[in-house]
Every structure is written in C-alpha cells, then in structure tokens.
Amino acid sequence: ETLNLSHSHLYDDEFPALCSMIRKTRSVRDLNIAGNPLYAENWVLFAEAMKRNQTILKLDLSGNSLRSKGGIAIADMLKYNHKILDLNLFGCGLGCKAVSAI
C-alpha cells in the first residue's frame, strides 16, 4: 500500500504520532512525506522509527529540511534498514557530512 502525505502540512507536534505508526506498520510499502515544514530534529525521530520498519521499500523525503543532522540520522538508519530500494532526498539541504555518510 501507499501512504502519500506529501505537502500535507505536517507539523512538529504531529510528527511523533506518525513515527509511532511507521514503527509498527506492516502494510505500507511506499511512503511519501515530501515537502512538509518539519525541523531536522524530527527526522532523527523518524530515522529511529524506520530502523524498526522492514516493510517500506520506497521512501520520498524530498523537499524537507533534513539538513546535516537529519541526513546523518537517515544514513545511520540505512545501516539497519536494508529493505529500502528507492530513496528520494532531493532538495533536503543535506550538508557534506550527511551526503558522504549516505
């Protein structure tokens, strides 16, 4: 199944609930949360949730402000989650450290 939350105006206070769902879901294969106004700290929480999710194969985070902190968290998540086949990080403002870590 696909869960498309792109440009859905997710906010920082709502994001922990989404991360909790991601940690537990076994039905979502394609997750799109592109273009939401979230702080980099939320992407650290998201990456922790994705470490435990082994069903999502396609992940679109494009247009989010991951910055270096979020990008490094995503790189760390990829060490544990080997199921992601398609990852879109276009326009995420990743710094050099994050890019080299990924």
Side-chain angles (χ1 to χ4, degrees):
E1 291 191 33
T2 297
L3 178 58
N4 186 348
L5 298 172
S6 65
H7 304 281
S8 60
H9 305 287
L10 291 174
Y11 292 102
D12 295 303
D13 59 339
E14 302 165 333
F15 206 63
L18 176 63
C19 291
S20 179
M21 184 277 303
I22 288 167
R23 187 178 297 113
K24 298 172 188 171
T25 188
R26 299 291 173 252
S27 61
V28 176
R29 302 283 186 256
D30 180 350
L31 177 60
N32 184 342
I33 46 180
N36 282 287
L38 300 162
Y39 289 112
E41 291 78 19
N42 283 303
W43 297 111
V44 174
L45 180 65
F46 175 79
E48 284 299 315
M50 283 297 298
K51 283 181 182 179
R52 293 174 177 82
N53 183 299
Q54 297 295 310
T55 58
I56 293 175
L57 307 174
K58 184 177 180 183
L59 181 58
D60 188 346
L61 303 177
S62 62
N64 288 299
S65 290
L66 271 69
R67 308 282 182 223
S68 287
K69 186 174 186 176
I72 290 169
I74 295 296
D76 183 57
M77 175 271 295
L78 292 171
K79 294 175 187 173
Y80 298 91
N81 185 325
H82 301 124
K83 299 293 183 178
I84 297 174
L85 302 174
D86 186 348
L87 175 61
N88 186 347
L89 297 172
F90 178 78
C92 288
L94 302 175
C96 292
K97 279 186 176 182
V99 170
S100 65
I102 293 170

